[in-house]
Amino acid sequence: MPAIVGAVQVISIGSSGVFNIGDVYKIMPVSTAKTFSGAGSFNTGESMQVYNNQSSTNTFDQDSVDQGNYFNA
């Protein structure tokens, strides 16, 4: 079914990002990544005030492979 899309504003797209408008059959990632960040790192908005009294990020990962993109063509 066709989609009717209004105004679209794209600020930026990463190197492995996908931007789609309209009908699509399959979208598959071509890269994987693991991100570690502390409390309040990915908050967005205007005039944010985040209070973290004590924060620590555990980056220890005991398994060697989390999720791969083995079957993506």
Side-chain angles (χ1 to χ4, degrees):
M1 175 176 255
I4 299 173
V5 179
V8 176
Q9 180 181 9
V10 177
I11 303 299
S12 67
I13 297 177
S15 61
S16 63
V18 175
F19 177 73
N20 177 57
I21 295 179
D23 298 338
V24 64
Y25 173 70
K26 185 188 320 183
I27 296 177
M28 299 173 65
V30 293
S31 68
T32 58
K34 179 181 279 189
T35 303
F36 296 104
S37 64
S41 296
F42 294 119
N43 291 331
T44 58
E46 296 180 14
S47 303
M48 293 284 305
Q49 293 183 354
V50 178
Y51 300 102
N52 295 318
N53 293 332
Q54 188 174 16
S55 176
S56 64
T57 303
N58 184 7
T59 59
F60 175 72
D61 189 12
Q62 61 185 357
D63 53 346
S64 59
V65 176
D66 289 330
Q67 180 180 1
N69 55 357
Y70 308 116
F71 300 110
N72 294 341

CSV table of all heavy atoms in Angstrom, one decimal:
chain,number,residue,atom,x,y,z
A,1,MET,N,0.8,-1.2,0.0
A,1,MET,CA,0.0,0.0,0.0
A,1,MET,C,0.9,1.2,0.0
A,1,MET,O,1.8,1.3,0.8
A,1,MET,CB,-0.9,0.0,1.2
A,1,MET,CG,-1.7,1.2,1.4
A,1,MET,SD,-2.8,1.1,2.8
A,1,MET,CE,-4.3,0.8,2.0
A,2,PRO,N,0.7,2.2,-0.9
A,2,PRO,CA,1.5,3.4,-1.0
A,2,PRO,C,1.4,4.2,0.3
A,2,PRO,O,0.3,4.3,0.9
A,2,PRO,CB,1.0,4.1,-2.2
A,2,PRO,CG,0.2,3.1,-2.9
A,2,PRO,CD,-0.3,2.1,-2.0
A,3,ALA,N,2.4,4.9,0.6
A,3,ALA,CA,2.5,5.7,1.8
A,3,ALA,C,2.4,7.2,1.3
A,3,ALA,O,3.1,7.5,0.4
A,3,ALA,CB,3.7,5.5,2.7
A,4,ILE,N,1.7,8.0,2.0
A,4,ILE,CA,1.7,9.5,1.8
A,4,ILE,C,2.5,10.1,2.9
A,4,ILE,O,2.2,10.0,4.1
A,4,ILE,CB,0.3,10.0,1.8
A,4,ILE,CG1,-0.5,9.4,0.6
A,4,ILE,CG2,0.3,11.5,1.6
A,4,ILE,CD1,-2.0,9.7,0.6
A,5,VAL,N,3.7,10.7,2.5
A,5,VAL,CA,4.6,11.2,3.5
A,5,VAL,C,4.6,12.7,3.4
A,5,VAL,O,4.7,13.3,2.2
A,5,VAL,CB,6.0,10.6,3.3
A,5,VAL,CG1,7.0,11.2,4.3
A,5,VAL,CG2,5.9,9.1,3.4
A,6,GLY,N,4.6,13.4,4.5
A,6,GLY,CA,4.6,14.9,4.5
A,6,GLY,C,6.1,15.3,4.5
A,6,GLY,O,7.0,14.7,3.9
A,7,ALA,N,6.4,16.5,5.1
A,7,ALA,CA,7.7,17.0,5.1
A,7,ALA,C,8.6,16.2,6.0
A,7,ALA,O,8.2,15.7,7.0
A,7,ALA,CB,7.7,18.4,5.7
A,8,VAL,N,9.8,15.9,5.5
A,8,VAL,CA,10.8,15.1,6.2
A,8,VAL,C,12.1,16.0,6.3
A,8,VAL,O,12.5,16.5,5.3
A,8,VAL,CB,11.1,13.8,5.4
A,8,VAL,CG1,12.2,13.0,6.1
A,8,VAL,CG2,9.9,13.0,5.3
A,9,GLN,N,12.7,16.0,7.5
A,9,GLN,CA,14.0,16.7,7.7
A,9,GLN,C,15.0,15.6,8.2
A,9,GLN,O,14.7,15.1,9.3
A,9,GLN,CB,13.8,17.8,8.6
A,9,GLN,CG,15.1,18.6,8.9
A,9,GLN,CD,15.0,19.7,9.9
A,9,GLN,OE1,14.0,19.8,10.5
A,9,GLN,NE2,16.0,20.5,10.0
A,10,VAL,N,16.1,15.4,7.5
A,10,VAL,CA,17.1,14.5,7.9
A,10,VAL,C,18.3,15.3,8.3
A,10,VAL,O,18.9,16.0,7.4
A,10,VAL,CB,17.4,13.5,6.8
A,10,VAL,CG1,18.6,12.6,7.3
A,10,VAL,CG2,16.2,12.7,6.4
A,11,ILE,N,18.7,15.3,9.5
A,11,ILE,CA,19.9,16.0,10.0
A,11,ILE,C,21.2,15.3,9.6
A,11,ILE,O,22.1,15.8,9.0
A,11,ILE,CB,19.9,16.3,11.5
A,11,ILE,CG1,18.6,17.0,11.9
A,11,ILE,CG2,21.1,17.0,12.0
A,11,ILE,CD1,18.4,18.4,11.2
A,12,SER,N,21.3,14.0,9.9
A,12,SER,CA,22.4,13.2,9.6
A,12,SER,C,22.1,11.8,9.6
A,12,SER,O,21.2,11.3,10.3
A,12,SER,CB,23.6,13.5,10.5
A,12,SER,OG,23.3,13.1,11.8
A,13,ILE,N,22.9,11.0,8.8
A,13,ILE,CA,22.7,9.5,8.8
A,13,ILE,C,24.1,9.0,8.9
A,13,ILE,O,25.1,9.4,8.3
A,13,ILE,CB,22.1,9.0,7.5
A,13,ILE,CG1,20.7,9.5,7.4
A,13,ILE,CG2,22.1,7.5,7.5
A,13,ILE,CD1,20.0,9.1,6.1
A,14,GLY,N,24.3,8.0,9.8
A,14,GLY,CA,25.6,7.4,10.1
A,14,GLY,C,26.1,6.6,8.9
A,14,GLY,O,25.3,6.4,7.9
A,15,SER,N,27.3,6.2,8.9
A,15,SER,CA,27.9,5.4,7.8
A,15,SER,C,27.2,4.1,7.5
A,15,SER,O,27.2,3.6,6.4
A,15,SER,CB,29.4,5.2,8.0
A,15,SER,OG,29.6,4.4,9.2
A,16,SER,N,26.6,3.5,8.5
A,16,SER,CA,25.9,2.2,8.3
A,16,SER,C,24.4,2.4,8.6
A,16,SER,O,23.7,1.4,8.9
A,16,SER,CB,26.5,1.1,9.3
A,16,SER,OG,26.3,1.5,10.6
A,17,GLY,N,23.9,3.6,8.5
A,17,GLY,CA,22.5,3.8,8.8
A,17,GLY,C,21.7,3.6,7.6
A,17,GLY,O,22.1,3.5,6.4
A,18,VAL,N,20.3,3.5,7.8
A,18,VAL,CA,19.4,3.2,6.7
A,18,VAL,C,18.3,4.3,6.8
A,18,VAL,O,17.7,4.5,7.9
A,18,VAL,CB,18.8,1.8,6.8
A,18,VAL,CG1,17.7,1.6,5.8
A,18,VAL,CG2,19.8,0.8,6.7
A,19,PHE,N,18.0,5.0,5.7
A,19,PHE,CA,16.9,5.9,5.7
A,19,PHE,C,15.9,5.4,4.6
A,19,PHE,O,16.3,5.2,3.5
A,19,PHE,CB,17.4,7.3,5.4
A,19,PHE,CG,16.3,8.3,5.3
A,19,PHE,CD1,15.7,8.8,6.4
A,19,PHE,CD2,15.9,8.8,4.0
A,19,PHE,CE1,14.6,9.7,6.3
A,19,PHE,CE2,14.9,9.8,3.9
A,19,PHE,CZ,14.3,10.2,5.1
A,20,ASN,N,14.7,5.2,5.0
A,20,ASN,CA,13.7,4.7,4.1
A,20,ASN,C,12.4,5.5,4.2
A,20,ASN,O,11.9,5.8,5.3
A,20,ASN,CB,13.4,3.2,4.4
A,20,ASN,CG,12.3,2.6,3.5
A,20,ASN,OD1,12.5,2.7,2.3
A,20,ASN,ND2,11.3,2.2,4.1
A,21,ILE,N,11.8,5.8,3.0
A,21,ILE,CA,10.5,6.4,2.9
A,21,ILE,C,9.7,5.6,1.9
A,21,ILE,O,10.2,5.4,0.8
A,21,ILE,CB,10.5,7.9,2.5
A,21,ILE,CG1,11.2,8.7,3.6
A,21,ILE,CG2,9.1,8.4,2.3
A,21,ILE,CD1,11.4,10.2,3.2
A,22,GLY,N,8.6,5.1,2.3
A,22,GLY,CA,7.8,4.3,1.4
A,22,GLY,C,7.8,2.8,1.7
A,22,GLY,O,8.2,2.4,2.8
A,23,ASP,N,7.4,2.0,0.7
A,23,ASP,CA,7.4,0.6,0.9
A,23,ASP,C,8.7,0.0,0.9
A,23,ASP,O,9.6,0.4,0.1
A,23,ASP,CB,6.5,0.0,-0.3
A,23,ASP,CG,5.1,0.5,-0.2
A,23,ASP,OD1,4.7,1.0,0.8
A,23,ASP,OD2,4.4,0.5,-1.3
A,24,VAL,N,8.9,-1.0,1.7
A,24,VAL,CA,10.2,-1.7,1.7
A,24,VAL,C,9.9,-3.2,2.0
A,24,VAL,O,9.0,-3.6,2.7
A,24,VAL,CB,11.1,-1.1,2.8
A,24,VAL,CG1,10.5,-1.3,4.2
A,24,VAL,CG2,12.5,-1.7,2.7
A,25,TYR,N,10.8,-4.1,1.4
A,25,TYR,CA,10.6,-5.5,1.6
A,25,TYR,C,11.5,-6.0,2.7
A,25,TYR,O,11.0,-6.6,3.6
A,25,TYR,CB,11.0,-6.3,0.3
A,25,TYR,CG,11.0,-7.8,0.5
A,25,TYR,CD1,9.9,-8.5,0.7
A,25,TYR,CD2,12.2,-8.4,0.5
A,25,TYR,CE1,9.9,-9.8,0.9
A,25,TYR,CE2,12.3,-9.8,0.6
A,25,TYR,CZ,11.1,-10.5,0.8
A,25,TYR,OH,11.2,-11.9,1.0
A,26,LYS,N,12.8,-5.6,2.7
A,26,LYS,CA,13.7,-6.0,3.8
A,26,LYS,C,14.8,-5.0,4.0
A,26,LYS,O,15.4,-4.5,3.0
A,26,LYS,CB,14.3,-7.4,3.3
A,26,LYS,CG,15.2,-8.0,4.4
A,26,LYS,CD,16.0,-9.2,3.9
A,26,LYS,CE,15.3,-10.1,3.0
A,26,LYS,NZ,16.1,-11.3,2.6
A,27,ILE,N,15.0,-4.7,5.2
A,27,ILE,CA,16.2,-3.8,5.6
A,27,ILE,C,17.0,-4.6,6.5
A,27,ILE,O,16.6,-5.1,7.6
A,27,ILE,CB,15.7,-2.5,6.3
A,27,ILE,CG1,14.9,-1.7,5.3
A,27,ILE,CG2,16.9,-1.7,6.8
A,27,ILE,CD1,14.3,-0.4,5.9
A,28,MET,N,18.3,-4.8,6.2
A,28,MET,CA,19.2,-5.6,7.0
A,28,MET,C,20.5,-4.8,7.3
A,28,MET,O,21.0,-4.1,6.4
A,28,MET,CB,19.6,-6.8,6.2
A,28,MET,CG,18.4,-7.7,5.9
A,28,MET,SD,18.8,-9.1,4.8
A,28,MET,CE,19.9,-10.0,5.9
A,29,PRO,N,21.0,-4.9,8.5
A,29,PRO,CA,22.2,-4.1,8.9
A,29,PRO,C,23.4,-4.8,8.2
A,29,PRO,O,23.4,-6.0,8.0
A,29,PRO,CB,22.3,-4.3,10.4
A,29,PRO,CG,21.5,-5.5,10.7
A,29,PRO,CD,20.4,-5.6,9.7
A,30,VAL,N,24.4,-3.9,7.9
A,30,VAL,CA,25.6,-4.5,7.4
A,30,VAL,C,26.8,-4.3,8.3
A,30,VAL,O,27.9,-4.6,8.0
A,30,VAL,CB,26.0,-3.7,6.0
A,30,VAL,CG1,25.0,-4.1,5.0
A,30,VAL,CG2,26.1,-2.3,6.2
A,31,SER,N,26.5,-3.8,9.5
A,31,SER,CA,27.6,-3.7,10.6
A,31,SER,C,26.9,-3.9,11.9
A,31,SER,O,25.8,-3.7,12.1
A,31,SER,CB,28.3,-2.4,10.5
A,31,SER,OG,27.4,-1.4,10.8
A,32,THR,N,27.8,-4.3,12.9
A,32,THR,CA,27.3,-4.4,14.3
A,32,THR,C,28.3,-3.6,15.2
A,32,THR,O,29.4,-3.4,14.8
A,32,THR,CB,27.3,-5.8,14.7
A,32,THR,OG1,28.5,-6.4,14.6
A,32,THR,CG2,26.2,-6.6,13.9
A,33,ALA,N,27.8,-3.2,16.3
A,33,ALA,CA,28.7,-2.5,17.3
A,33,ALA,C,28.2,-2.7,18.7
A,33,ALA,O,27.0,-3.0,18.9
A,33,ALA,CB,28.7,-1.0,16.9
A,34,LYS,N,29.0,-2.5,19.6
A,34,LYS,CA,28.7,-2.5,21.0
A,34,LYS,C,29.0,-1.2,21.7
A,34,LYS,O,30.2,-0.7,21.4
A,34,LYS,CB,29.4,-3.7,21.7
A,34,LYS,CG,29.0,-3.7,23.2
A,34,LYS,CD,29.8,-4.9,23.9
A,34,LYS,CE,29.0,-6.1,23.6
A,34,LYS,NZ,29.5,-7.2,24.4
A,35,THR,N,28.1,-0.6,22.4
A,35,THR,CA,28.3,0.7,23.0
A,35,THR,C,28.2,0.6,24.5
A,35,THR,O,27.2,0.1,25.0
A,35,THR,CB,27.3,1.7,22.4
A,35,THR,OG1,27.4,1.7,21.0
A,35,THR,CG2,27.6,3.1,22.9
A,36,PHE,N,29.2,1.1,25.2
A,36,PHE,CA,29.1,1.3,26.6
A,36,PHE,C,29.0,2.8,26.9
A,36,PHE,O,29.8,3.6,26.4
A,36,PHE,CB,30.4,0.7,27.3
A,36,PHE,CG,30.6,-0.7,27.1
A,36,PHE,CD1,31.5,-1.2,26.2
A,36,PHE,CD2,29.8,-1.7,27.8
A,36,PHE,CE1,31.7,-2.6,26.0
A,36,PHE,CE2,30.0,-3.0,27.6
A,36,PHE,CZ,30.9,-3.5,26.7
A,37,SER,N,28.1,3.1,27.8
A,37,SER,CA,28.0,4.5,28.2
A,37,SER,C,27.5,4.6,29.6
A,37,SER,O,26.8,3.7,30.1
A,37,SER,CB,27.1,5.3,27.2
A,37,SER,OG,25.8,4.8,27.3
A,38,GLY,N,27.7,5.7,30.2
A,38,GLY,CA,27.3,5.9,31.6
A,38,GLY,C,25.9,6.4,31.7
A,38,GLY,O,25.2,6.6,30.7
A,39,ALA,N,25.4,6.6,32.9
A,39,ALA,CA,24.1,7.0,33.2
A,39,ALA,C,23.9,8.5,32.6
A,39,ALA,O,24.7,9.3,32.8
A,39,ALA,CB,23.8,7.0,34.7
A,40,GLY,N,22.7,8.7,31.9
A,40,GLY,CA,22.4,10.0,31.4
A,40,GLY,C,23.2,10.3,30.1
A,40,GLY,O,23.2,11.5,29.7
A,41,SER,N,23.9,9.4,29.5
A,41,SER,CA,24.7,9.7,28.3
A,41,SER,C,23.9,10.0,27.1
A,41,SER,O,24.2,10.8,26.3
A,41,SER,CB,25.6,8.5,28.0
A,41,SER,OG,26.5,8.4,29.1
A,42,PHE,N,22.8,9.3,26.8
A,42,PHE,CA,22.0,9.4,25.6
A,42,PHE,C,20.8,10.2,25.8
A,42,PHE,O,19.8,10.1,25.0
A,42,PHE,CB,21.7,8.0,25.0
A,42,PHE,CG,22.9,7.3,24.6
A,42,PHE,CD1,23.2,6.1,25.2
A,42,PHE,CD2,23.7,7.8,23.6
A,42,PHE,CE1,24.3,5.4,24.7
A,42,PHE,CE2,24.8,7.1,23.2
A,42,PHE,CZ,25.1,5.9,23.8
A,43,ASN,N,20.7,11.0,26.8
A,43,ASN,CA,19.5,11.9,27.0
A,43,ASN,C,19.6,13.0,25.9
A,43,ASN,O,20.7,13.6,25.7
A,43,ASN,CB,19.5,12.5,28.4
A,43,ASN,CG,19.2,11.5,29.4
A,43,ASN,OD1,18.5,10.5,29.1
A,43,ASN,ND2,19.7,11.7,30.6
A,44,THR,N,18.5,13.4,25.3
A,44,THR,CA,18.4,14.5,24.4
A,44,THR,C,17.3,15.4,24.8
A,44,THR,O,16.3,15.1,25.4
A,44,THR,CB,18.1,14.0,23.0
A,44,THR,OG1,16.9,13.3,23.0
A,44,THR,CG2,19.2,13.0,22.5
A,45,GLY,N,17.5,16.7,24.4
A,45,GLY,CA,16.5,17.7,24.7
A,45,GLY,C,17.1,19.0,25.0
A,45,GLY,O,18.4,19.1,25.1
A,46,GLU,N,16.3,20.0,25.2
A,46,GLU,CA,16.8,21.3,25.6
A,46,GLU,C,16.8,21.5,27.1
A,46,GLU,O,15.8,21.1,27.7
A,46,GLU,CB,16.0,22.4,24.9
A,46,GLU,CG,16.0,22.4,23.4
A,46,GLU,CD,15.2,23.4,22.8
A,46,GLU,OE1,14.8,24.4,23.5
A,46,GLU,OE2,14.9,23.4,21.6
A,47,SER,N,17.8,22.0,27.6
A,47,SER,CA,18.0,22.4,29.1
A,47,SER,C,17.8,21.1,29.9
A,47,SER,O,17.1,21.1,30.9
A,47,SER,CB,16.9,23.4,29.5
A,47,SER,OG,17.1,24.6,28.7
A,48,MET,N,18.5,20.1,29.6
A,48,MET,CA,18.5,18.8,30.4
A,48,MET,C,19.4,19.0,31.6
A,48,MET,O,20.4,19.6,31.6
A,48,MET,CB,19.1,17.7,29.6
A,48,MET,CG,18.3,17.2,28.4
A,48,MET,SD,16.8,16.3,28.8
A,48,MET,CE,17.5,15.0,29.8
A,49,GLN,N,18.8,18.6,32.7
A,49,GLN,CA,19.6,18.5,34.0
A,49,GLN,C,19.5,17.1,34.5
A,49,GLN,O,18.5,16.7,34.9
A,49,GLN,CB,19.0,19.5,35.0
A,49,GLN,CG,19.2,21.0,34.6
A,49,GLN,CD,18.7,21.9,35.6
A,49,GLN,OE1,18.2,21.5,36.6
A,49,GLN,NE2,18.9,23.2,35.4
A,50,VAL,N,20.6,16.4,34.5
A,50,VAL,CA,20.7,15.0,34.9
A,50,VAL,C,21.6,15.0,36.2
A,50,VAL,O,22.7,15.5,36.1
A,50,VAL,CB,21.2,14.1,33.8
A,50,VAL,CG1,21.3,12.7,34.3
A,50,VAL,CG2,20.4,14.2,32.6
A,51,TYR,N,21.1,14.4,37.3
A,51,TYR,CA,21.9,14.3,38.5
A,51,TYR,C,22.2,12.9,38.8
A,51,TYR,O,21.3,12.1,39.0
A,51,TYR,CB,21.1,15.0,39.7
A,51,TYR,CG,20.8,16.4,39.4
A,51,TYR,CD1,19.5,16.8,39.1
A,51,TYR,CD2,21.8,17.4,39.6
A,51,TYR,CE1,19.3,18.2,38.9
A,51,TYR,CE2,21.5,18.7,39.4
A,51,TYR,CZ,20.3,19.1,39.1
A,51,TYR,OH,20.0,20.4,38.9
A,52,ASN,N,23.4,12.5,38.7
A,52,ASN,CA,23.9,11.1,39.0
A,52,ASN,C,24.9,11.2,40.1
A,52,ASN,O,26.0,11.7,40.0
A,52,ASN,CB,24.5,10.5,37.8
A,52,ASN,CG,23.6,10.3,36.6
A,52,ASN,OD1,22.5,9.9,36.8
A,52,ASN,ND2,24.0,10.6,35.4
A,53,ASN,N,24.4,10.8,41.3
A,53,ASN,CA,25.3,10.9,42.5
A,53,ASN,C,26.5,10.0,42.3
A,53,ASN,O,27.6,10.4,42.5
A,53,ASN,CB,24.5,10.6,43.7
A,53,ASN,CG,23.5,11.6,44.0
A,53,ASN,OD1,23.6,12.8,43.6
A,53,ASN,ND2,22.4,11.2,44.7
A,54,GLN,N,26.3,8.7,41.9
A,54,GLN,CA,27.3,7.8,41.8
A,54,GLN,C,27.0,6.9,40.6
A,54,GLN,O,25.9,6.2,40.6
A,54,GLN,CB,27.5,6.9,43.0
A,54,GLN,CG,28.7,6.1,43.0
A,54,GLN,CD,28.9,5.4,44.3
A,54,GLN,OE1,28.0,5.3,45.2
A,54,GLN,NE2,30.1,4.8,44.5
A,55,SER,N,27.8,6.9,39.6
A,55,SER,CA,27.6,6.1,38.4
A,55,SER,C,28.8,5.4,38.0
A,55,SER,O,29.9,5.9,38.0
A,55,SER,CB,27.1,7.0,37.3
A,55,SER,OG,27.0,6.3,36.1
A,56,SER,N,28.7,4.1,37.6
A,56,SER,CA,29.8,3.3,37.0
A,56,SER,C,29.2,2.5,35.9
A,56,SER,O,28.1,2.0,36.0
A,56,SER,CB,30.4,2.5,38.1
A,56,SER,OG,29.5,1.5,38.5
A,57,THR,N,30.0,2.3,34.9
A,57,THR,CA,29.6,1.5,33.7
A,57,THR,C,30.5,0.2,33.7
A,57,THR,O,31.7,0.3,33.6
A,57,THR,CB,29.8,2.3,32.4
A,57,THR,OG1,29.0,3.4,32.5
A,57,THR,CG2,29.4,1.5,31.2
A,58,ASN,N,29.9,-0.9,33.7
A,58,ASN,CA,30.6,-2.2,33.7
A,58,ASN,C,30.8,-2.6,32.2
A,58,ASN,O,29.9,-2.9,31.5
A,58,ASN,CB,29.8,-3.3,34.4
A,58,ASN,CG,30.5,-4.6,34.5
A,58,ASN,OD1,31.7,-4.7,34.1
A,58,ASN,ND2,29.9,-5.6,35.0
A,59,THR,N,32.1,-2.6,31.8
A,59,THR,CA,32.4,-3.0,30.4
A,59,THR,C,32.9,-4.4,30.3
A,59,THR,O,33.3,-4.8,29.2
A,59,THR,CB,33.4,-2.0,29.9
A,59,THR,OG1,34.6,-2.1,30.7
A,59,THR,CG2,32.9,-0.6,29.9
A,60,PHE,N,32.9,-5.2,31.3
A,60,PHE,CA,33.3,-6.6,31.3
A,60,PHE,C,32.3,-7.4,30.5
A,60,PHE,O,31.1,-7.4,30.9
A,60,PHE,CB,33.6,-7.1,32.7
A,60,PHE,CG,33.9,-8.6,32.7
A,60,PHE,CD1,35.2,-9.0,32.2
A,60,PHE,CD2,33.0,-9.5,33.1
A,60,PHE,CE1,35.5,-10.3,32.2
A,60,PHE,CE2,33.4,-10.9,33.1
A,60,PHE,CZ,34.6,-11.3,32.6
A,61,ASP,N,32.7,-8.1,29.5
A,61,ASP,CA,31.8,-9.0,28.8
A,61,ASP,C,32.5,-10.4,28.7
A,61,ASP,O,33.5,-10.5,28.0
A,61,ASP,CB,31.6,-8.4,27.4
A,61,ASP,CG,30.5,-9.2,26.6
A,61,ASP,OD1,29.8,-10.0,27.2
A,61,ASP,OD2,30.4,-8.9,25.4
A,62,GLN,N,31.9,-11.4,29.3
A,62,GLN,CA,32.5,-12.7,29.4
A,62,GLN,C,32.3,-13.5,28.2
A,62,GLN,O,33.1,-14.4,27.9
A,62,GLN,CB,32.0,-13.4,30.6
A,62,GLN,CG,30.6,-13.7,30.6
A,62,GLN,CD,30.1,-14.3,31.9
A,62,GLN,OE1,30.9,-14.6,32.8
A,62,GLN,NE2,28.8,-14.6,32.1
A,63,ASP,N,31.3,-13.3,27.4
A,63,ASP,CA,31.2,-14.0,26.1
A,63,ASP,C,31.9,-13.4,25.0
A,63,ASP,O,32.0,-12.1,24.9
A,63,ASP,CB,29.7,-14.3,25.8
A,63,ASP,CG,28.9,-13.0,25.7
A,63,ASP,OD1,29.4,-12.0,26.2
A,63,ASP,OD2,27.8,-13.0,25.2
A,64,SER,N,32.4,-14.1,24.0
A,64,SER,CA,33.3,-13.6,23.0
A,64,SER,C,32.5,-13.0,21.8
A,64,SER,O,32.9,-12.0,21.2
A,64,SER,CB,34.2,-14.7,22.5
A,64,SER,OG,33.5,-15.7,22.0
A,65,VAL,N,31.3,-13.6,21.5
A,65,VAL,CA,30.5,-13.1,20.4
A,65,VAL,C,29.1,-12.8,20.9
A,65,VAL,O,28.5,-13.7,21.5
A,65,VAL,CB,30.5,-14.1,19.3
A,65,VAL,CG1,29.6,-13.7,18.2
A,65,VAL,CG2,31.9,-14.4,18.8
A,66,ASP,N,28.6,-11.6,20.7
A,66,ASP,CA,27.3,-11.3,21.1
A,66,ASP,C,26.2,-11.5,20.0
A,66,ASP,O,25.4,-12.3,20.1
A,66,ASP,CB,27.2,-9.8,21.6
A,66,ASP,CG,27.9,-9.6,22.9
A,66,ASP,OD1,27.9,-10.5,23.7
A,66,ASP,OD2,28.4,-8.5,23.1
A,67,GLN,N,26.3,-10.7,18.9
A,67,GLN,CA,25.4,-10.8,17.8
A,67,GLN,C,26.2,-10.5,16.6
A,67,GLN,O,26.7,-9.3,16.5
A,67,GLN,CB,24.2,-10.0,18.0
A,67,GLN,CG,23.2,-10.1,16.9
A,67,GLN,CD,22.0,-9.2,17.1
A,67,GLN,OE1,21.9,-8.5,18.1
A,67,GLN,NE2,21.1,-9.2,16.2
A,68,GLY,N,26.2,-11.3,15.6
A,68,GLY,CA,26.9,-11.0,14.4
A,68,GLY,C,26.0,-10.7,13.2
A,68,GLY,O,24.8,-10.9,13.4
A,69,ASN,N,26.5,-10.4,12.1
A,69,ASN,CA,25.7,-10.2,10.9
A,69,ASN,C,26.1,-11.2,9.9
A,69,ASN,O,26.4,-10.8,8.7
A,69,ASN,CB,25.8,-8.7,10.4
A,69,ASN,CG,27.3,-8.3,10.2
A,69,ASN,OD1,28.2,-9.1,10.4
A,69,ASN,ND2,27.5,-7.1,9.7
A,70,TYR,N,26.2,-12.4,10.3
A,70,TYR,CA,26.7,-13.5,9.4
A,70,TYR,C,25.9,-13.8,8.2
A,70,TYR,O,26.4,-14.1,7.2
A,70,TYR,CB,26.9,-14.8,10.2
A,70,TYR,CG,27.7,-14.6,11.5
A,70,TYR,CD1,27.1,-14.8,12.7
A,70,TYR,CD2,29.0,-14.2,11.4
A,70,TYR,CE1,27.9,-14.6,13.9
A,70,TYR,CE2,29.8,-14.0,12.6
A,70,TYR,CZ,29.2,-14.2,13.8
A,70,TYR,OH,29.9,-14.0,14.9
A,71,PHE,N,24.6,-13.7,8.4
A,71,PHE,CA,23.7,-14.1,7.3
A,71,PHE,C,23.1,-12.9,6.5
A,71,PHE,O,22.2,-13.1,5.7
A,71,PHE,CB,22.5,-14.9,7.9
A,71,PHE,CG,23.0,-16.2,8.6
A,71,PHE,CD1,22.9,-16.3,9.9
A,71,PHE,CD2,23.5,-17.2,7.8
A,71,PHE,CE1,23.3,-17.4,10.6
A,71,PHE,CE2,24.0,-18.4,8.5
A,71,PHE,CZ,23.9,-18.5,9.8
A,72,ASN,N,23.7,-11.8,6.6
A,72,ASN,CA,23.2,-10.6,5.9
A,72,ASN,C,24.1,-10.5,4.6
A,72,ASN,O,25.3,-10.5,4.6
A,72,ASN,CB,23.4,-9.3,6.7
A,72,ASN,CG,22.5,-9.3,7.9
A,72,ASN,OD1,21.5,-10.0,7.9
A,72,ASN,ND2,22.8,-8.4,8.8
A,73,ALA,N,23.4,-10.4,3.5
A,73,ALA,CA,24.1,-10.4,2.2
A,73,ALA,C,24.3,-8.9,1.8
A,73,ALA,O,23.7,-8.0,2.1
A,73,ALA,CB,23.3,-11.1,1.1
